[in-house]
Amino acid sequence: MQTERIAVEVRPRAGYEAVDLGFRFARAVIWPLFPAHALVVGLVALALYAGLSERLWLAGLLVWWLKPLYDRVALAVLADALFGRTPTLLETLASLPRLITRTGLLHSLTWLRFSPLRSFTMPVLQLEGLRGIERSRRVSVLVGRDSRAGLGLLFACGIFELVILAAGLQLAATFRPEGALAEFWRDVVQGGGPELSFLEALLYPLAIAAVEPFYVAGGFALYVNRRIWLEGWDIDLAFRKLEQRVAAESPRAPRARAISLGLLALALALPAHTRADDETRAEPATCETPGPAGAGACIDAVLASEEFATVEKVELWLPKASEPDKSADPSLLARFGLWLASVGGTLLRVVAWLGLAAVLTGLGVAVVRSLRERDLRPGAQSVNLSGARVSLDLRPEALPADVVAEARARFARGDAPGALSLLYRGALVQLVRGFGLAVPAGATEGECERLAREALDAGLARDFKALTRAWVFCAYAHQPPAPDAFAELCQRWQPHLRSAA
C-alpha cells in the first residue's frame, strides 16, 4: 500500500467524520466522478425504459436493483483518485467490462443486494478481490467499529433520494392549474396515468445520479478509515516521511549510513564472541555432544540453571470438558464445524433477506393494486357529500329490483330524501357499471357531476346534473322537488336504470 501517495490526510477518525471526509472527497473529484456515474445510470435506465415501455414500474424496479453496477463505476474513480491518479471519462468507460466480470457483481446483485452496509463492504469485493469465507471474515473485522455510521449513511442518502423525487414532482405540480395540487398528489399516491409514470421514471435516475456517488464515497471513506485503524497507515506514513526528510537533509546520508551500520555490526560482534567463549567455557561437557544423542543431557543442563529454579503455582478455573472422541481428528472436526456454521449462517441470512423482500414486495403490490382498483369497485366506494363524509352503499345487490318504482313509492309516502337518495345511488351504480365512469373515493357531488360531463354524452350528463342538483337541494337545503319535477326525473332515468339492479 503506497500510503505516501494518498490524497487525503491520513489519521484515525470517528465514523461520521470519515463519512464527511468521503463527501468532501466526492466534491473534490466531482468532474470525473459524477459524469461517469450519471452516464452509466442514464444509459441503463434508457435501455430498460425503451425495452419495457409498457411496464415502466418494472423498469424502475430494475433501475433500482442495478445500483451495485453504478456503484462500481463510482468506486473505481474514487479508488484511483485517492492515490493521486484521477481517471478520465473514457478510461472509466473502458474499464466497464472488468467492473462487470471481475469485481463480484453477481454477489452484489443477489444475496448481498439487501445488505445495509453495501457501500462499506463493496471495496472488499472490488478492490481486495476476496470471496466466500475470506470475504465474510474480512467484512466482520471491518464493520465491527463503524457499522452505525454505515447504517446512518444509508438512511440519509435514501431520504435525500426521496426529497429529490418529491421536489421534482412538486415542481411539476406548480405547472398544473390552480386548485389541482391536491388532485395531483392524490394521483401520485394512487398511481396516475402514463404522463405521471413517465415523470416518475425520469426523476428516479436523476435522483440516483445525484445521491449515489456520495453514498459510495461515504462508504469508501469508512472502509479506508477502518484500515487506517487496523493497519496503522498513519504510523507507516509518518516513518516514510521521516526517512525522506533525513535523506533530503543529509547529502552524504548513504555513506554515513553505511559507516554507521558497519560500526554497529562491529560493536555487536565483539561482545557476542566474548559471550560465546564464556558460555562455552561455563557449559558442561554433556552439551558438547552434537546430534540427538546429546540433546537430552543438554536440556537437563539448561533446566538446572538458575533461570529455571523458580517454581510458581497458578490456580485456574476452567470449564469441565467432555471426553474427546479418540476416533476422529479434532482439528478436522473443528474446521468442518466452522465451515458448516458459516455456510448455514449465510444461507439463513439469504433466506431471511429474500423473505423480507418478498413480504415488502407483496405489501407494495397489494397497496398499489388496492389504490388503483378501489375506485372501480362500487361496493367499496363512498362519496364526500358537500364536505361531510357520508358513506353511500353503492353495491348493486343493495338496490331494489326496480329503483324508479321504489323511489316513487317513497316519494308518495312523503320520504323525499329517501326517494332521491335511492335514485341518486342507482344512477351512480349504473354510471360506474354500465358506462365505465371512474368515481374516486371521497368525491363530492360536484366532482361526480364534472366526471360525468367529461366522460358521458351530453344528454346523459344533463340528466345526471339535474338529478344531482335535486338531491343536493333536498338533502342539505331541505327543499324537496315538486311532484311534477320528481316525476320528470323518474321519467328521465327510467330507461337508464332498467339494468341497474
Side-chain angles (χ1 to χ4, degrees):
M1 184 64 66
Q2 299 177 348
T3 54
E4 68 275 6
R5 296 176 54 189
I6 199 165
V8 297
E9 181 184 355
V10 179
R11 62 176 178 85
R13 293 175 170 84
Y16 288 107
E17 185 182 2
V19 172
D20 182 66
L21 175 66
F23 288 173
R24 295 180 62 185
F25 186 62
R27 293 197 301 268
V29 294
I30 186 172
W31 290 115
L33 174 61
F34 280 82
H37 182 269
L39 183 60
V40 175
V41 174
L43 291 177
V44 172
L46 184 62
L48 290 174
Y49 290 151
L52 299 171
S53 58
E54 300 297 329
R55 298 181 178 179
L56 289 180
W57 65 270
L58 179 58
L61 180 63
L62 291 177
V63 169
W64 169 78
W65 190 269
L66 292 175
K67 274 188 176 183
L69 172 61
Y70 325 140
D71 295 349
R72 273 161 169 71
V73 177
L75 182 58
V77 175
L78 291 168
D80 290 340
L82 182 65
F83 292 98
R85 183 190 174 278
T86 304
T88 62
L89 178 61
L90 293 179
E91 290 175 346
T92 303
L93 295 179
S95 65
L96 272 178
R98 179 184 62 84
L99 296 177
I100 294 175
T101 58
R102 300 182 183 179
T103 58
L105 180 61
L106 182 61
H107 296 75
S108 298
L109 290 177
T110 51
W111 64 282
L112 292 177
R113 179 59 183 86
F114 293 102
S115 173
L117 302 176
R118 177 166 48 88
S119 66
F120 191 177
T121 60
M122 187 172 58
V124 178
L125 278 174
Q126 182 170 342
L127 303 181
E128 298 185 25
L130 299 181
R131 304 289 188 272
I133 297 180
E134 294 182 354
R135 189 206 70 86
S136 300
R137 292 176 177 173
R138 179 67 168 166
V139 167
S140 63
V141 173
L142 289 176
V143 304
R145 179 184 178 89
D146 295 331
S147 58
R148 291 185 179 180
L151 294 175
L153 173 65
L154 175 66
F155 178 77
C157 292
I159 290 297
F160 273 105
E161 280 190 2
L162 294 178
V163 167
I164 292 176
L165 282 173
L169 292 173
Q170 180 63 31
L171 179 63
T174 57
F175 294 96
R176 290 294 185 95
E178 185 177 359
L181 183 60
E183 182 181 354
F184 174 81
W185 283 108
R186 184 182 61 197
D187 293 340
V188 170
V189 174
Q190 297 180 355
E195 296 181 357
L196 188 56
S197 300
F198 176 77
L199 178 60
E200 294 173 347
L202 177 65
L203 288 175
Y204 187 57
L206 292 178
I208 293 178
V211 176
E212 197 70 11
F214 287 105
Y215 174 64
V216 177
F220 182 52
L222 286 173
Y223 166 80
V224 172
N225 181 65
R226 188 63 178 142
R227 290 196 61 177
I228 292 174
W229 277 96
L230 295 174
E231 302 173 17
W233 286 9
D234 52 335
I235 301 175
D236 177 74
L237 184 60
F239 277 110
R240 289 177 184 271
K241 290 182 178 180
L242 181 61
E243 181 184 9
Q244 294 174 0
R245 188 179 65 183
V246 171
E249 291 177 354
S250 178
R252 299 180 181 179
R255 182 179 178 183
R257 186 183 298 109
I259 296 174
S260 301
L261 291 177
L263 293 175
L264 181 60
L266 182 61
L268 293 176
L270 290 177
H273 285 296
T274 304
R275 185 170 58 253
D277 295 338
D278 295 340
E279 291 177 356
T280 303
R281 288 193 296 269
E283 193 173 336
T286 54
C287 288
E288 293 180 354
T289 305
C298 187
I299 291 173
D300 293 337
V302 172
L303 293 177
S305 61
E306 298 180 357
E307 288 81 359
F308 293 93
T310 304
V311 178
E312 182 180 356
K313 293 184 178 180
V314 178
E315 183 178 357
L316 296 177
W317 290 81
L318 299 175
K320 185 177 180 180
S322 59
E323 187 69 21
D325 187 5
K326 303 297 184 180
S327 62
D329 185 4
S331 60
L332 181 60
L333 285 177
R335 289 196 298 269
F336 178 75
L338 179 62
W339 176 82
L340 188 61
S342 177
V343 172
T346 301
L347 290 177
L348 287 177
R349 186 165 61 249
V350 171
V351 171
W353 281 111
L354 291 178
L356 179 61
V359 171
L360 293 178
T361 303
L363 288 176
V365 171
V367 169
V368 172
R369 183 176 296 175
S370 63
L371 289 174
R372 290 187 175 183
E373 296 181 357
R374 183 177 59 182
D375 297 340
L376 301 179
R377 296 199 304 269
Q381 292 181 11
S382 64
V383 292
N384 192 10
L385 303 178
S386 299
R389 173 78 60 179
V390 177
S391 295
L392 292 181
D393 193 355
L394 301 183
R395 295 174 300 164
E397 58 270 17
L399 297 175
D402 192 342
V403 176
V404 176
E406 180 64 24
R408 285 175 174 170
R410 292 187 181 185
F411 192 83
R413 293 195 299 266
D415 185 12
L420 286 173
S421 173
L422 180 61
L423 198 62
Y424 186 73
R425 286 192 292 127
L428 281 179
V429 169
Q430 182 63 10
L431 293 181
V432 171
R433 292 177 58 85
F435 297 92
L437 184 66
V439 180
T444 62
E445 293 91 339
E447 292 175 345
C448 294
E449 181 183 340
R450 178 179 58 82
L451 292 174
R453 184 172 61 252
E454 295 174 354
L456 305 177
D457 60 85
L460 186 57
R462 187 167 52 251
D463 292 344
F464 186 71
K465 178 180 179 180
L467 177 59
T468 301
R469 296 298 174 86
W471 155 248
V472 169
F473 275 97
C474 180
Y476 305 107
H478 304 288
Q479 296 181 6
D484 295 340
F486 182 77
E488 183 180 357
L489 287 175
C490 292
Q491 184 178 1
R492 288 187 181 184
W493 282 96
Q494 182 71 41
H496 303 313
L497 297 180
R498 287 175 180 172
S499 60

